[in-house]
Amino acid sequence: MQHLIDISDLSNKQIDVILRDATTFKTKRPIQLLQDKLLIALFFEDSTRTRSSFEIAAKKLGAAVVHLDPSTSSTNKGETLEDTFANLCAMQPDGVIIRHAQNDIPRQLADMEMTSVINAGAGNYAHPTQALLDLFTIMEHFNGDIKGKTVGIVGDIISSRVASSAIRLFERMGLNVILIAPKPFMPQSDLVQYENLDEALEHLDVIMSLRAQLERHQTPVFEDYQEYAKHYCITKERMQNREILILHPGPVMHNIDISDEMLQDPRCKVLEQVTNGVYIRMAVLKLLMLDA
Ligand code: NCD
């Protein structure tokens, strides 16, 4: 039984297979490879893209998805998450897709070895399918020639599971990663760090802009995000004609993370990431449900 809790669960060969299958799924209408499979989705945190992306990916391959809404589940009657999970597993799904605010929950459930567990975002620690779709979007943009390219991650890096999984995957794939953030958003790290985005720009091939994860801040970090935006918003004035690919996992805070003008710019591939997310998740489901 294989799980996907973070990138470390995948071998290099499996990452290659996922990227290759995603390309195939994007170019050819897929056959119903997962017709007899059933997945349960368990989202304890809000989601627009990831939840619908997993569901569409599963349905495109013919699998059925059952969503359990934790806000109306027996969690409210005091049932533990382990009990809820064990009961769902007793209905014999082929996998459970889970998003949770705590870093270690998906791994704990995976360790029960009752079904394949797929992490759709855990705390500030891991979001492996987001990292894979970001890698896929970068590879597509550079026609596979990514070794030595530099990705600058900009924003609330310390709270971001997207950044944390991306750093692990990108470094493993031979990309350079540099971190660009004000001090309160900068994690402990050996990576090159910049506080000043304008100074960092000349080194970058890719920008991954991130939202301030307000829901994870115990107390407000900045009073005024307009002031923050003056230094970290990806704007046309800042970018000029630089050939830098611009990514963002969404939801984008308009004119704080990226300006409305730059969101329309052909260098910005935010919606392409969303499109690619479906194909990457199809490839991940195929790997976990069929190949592994
Ligand atoms: C992110 C998440 O929830 O981890 N969104 C996503 O999955 N595409 C990032 C965020 O909420 O800022």
Side-chain angles (χ1 to χ4, degrees):
M1 185 182 304
Q2 183 162 357
H3 310 287
L4 179 57
I5 308 305
D6 197 22
I7 295 305
S8 57
D9 292 306
L10 298 172
S11 65
N12 286 351
K13 181 148 177 272
Q14 288 180 318
I15 293 172
D16 280 349
V17 170
I18 289 171
L19 295 170
R20 199 159 10 96
D21 281 346
T23 307
T24 310
F25 290 143
K26 194 170 179 178
T27 45
K28 281 203 218 93
R29 207 187 151 75
I31 47 169
Q32 306 269 292
L33 290 169
L34 302 183
Q35 212 163 26
D36 53 345
K37 305 292 183 192
L38 171 71
L39 292 154
I40 298 181
L42 200 50
F43 277 65
F44 287 89
E45 274 194 338
D46 298 342
S47 174
T48 300
R49 277 150 292 271
T50 306
R51 183 180 145 155
S52 40
S53 183
F54 266 113
E55 177 157 1
I56 290 166
K59 287 193 169 156
K60 276 186 183 249
L61 292 176
V65 183
V66 171
H67 286 278
L68 177 71
D69 177 1
S71 68
T72 56
S73 75
S74 289
T75 312
N76 292 338
K77 301 179 190 166
E79 185 171 61
T80 66
L81 182 54
E82 284 76 9
D83 280 347
T84 302
F85 180 74
N87 278 272
L88 292 174
C89 289
M91 299 180 212
Q92 301 183 331
D94 297 284
V96 168
I97 302 163
I98 180 159
R99 168 170 284 199
H100 202 280
Q102 286 176 38
N103 291 1
D104 49 353
I105 291 289
R107 181 72 71 194
Q108 274 174 30
L109 299 182
D111 287 346
M112 291 166 73
E113 292 296 340
M114 295 184 80
T115 193
S116 175
V117 176
I118 306 163
N119 177 9
N124 68 356
Y125 156 69
H127 193 348
T129 56
Q130 182 70 43
L132 288 163
L133 78 86
D134 291 340
L135 174 69
F136 183 79
T137 309
I138 295 171
M139 295 205 53
E140 224 180 17
H141 181 79
F142 293 107
N143 287 318
D145 182 19
I146 61 162
K147 287 249 166 9
K149 295 273 188 303
T150 300
V151 183
I153 305 183
V154 183
D156 187 2
I157 304 167
I158 197 165
S159 310
S160 171
R161 55 192 172 213
V162 173
S164 134
S165 278
I167 291 167
R168 291 190 281 274
L169 180 63
F170 292 175
E171 288 213 287
R172 188 166 153 192
M173 301 306 287
L175 288 155
N176 301 321
V177 182
I178 68 180
L179 307 182
I180 304 152
K183 283 199 181 72
F185 284 172
M186 187 69 86
Q188 283 280 344
S189 169
D190 295 335
L191 295 168
V192 174
Q193 304 187 352
Y194 282 86
E195 217 175 318
N196 187 319
L197 171 58
D198 298 307
E199 281 172 17
L201 275 184
E202 60 179 292
H203 305 291
L204 305 183
D205 301 295
V206 182
I207 288 175
M208 176 189 277
S209 169
L210 298 173
R211 174 179 75 92
Q213 306 266 308
L214 303 177
E215 72 278 21
R216 290 187 219 291
H217 301 162
Q218 306 292 343
T219 54
V221 177
F222 294 108
E223 292 298 323
D224 181 2
Y225 276 90
Q226 299 305 330
E227 184 56 34
Y228 166 88
K230 282 187 200 155
H231 302 281
Y232 296 100
C233 186
I234 310 302
T235 60
K236 194 106 185 189
E237 299 74 63
R238 193 156 258 144
M239 292 292 293
Q240 297 177 16
N241 291 326
R242 291 185 175 89
E243 285 293 325
I244 302 178
L245 171 67
I246 300 166
L247 305 178
H248 192 300
V252 175
M253 306 314 272
H254 285 242
N255 302 309
I256 294 175
D257 305 338
I258 303 178
S259 70
D260 282 339
E261 190 183 16
M262 274 319 287
L263 282 169
Q264 301 298 327
D265 191 284
R267 287 169 287 182
C268 185
K269 298 287 189 218
V270 171
L271 290 179
E272 193 63 24
Q273 287 172 272
V274 178
T275 302
N276 288 341
V278 172
Y279 299 112
I280 279 291
R281 293 185 175 105
M282 289 168 76
V284 163
L285 293 176
K286 170 177 173 280
L287 180 89
L288 297 181
M289 306 288 103
L290 283 188
D291 304 346

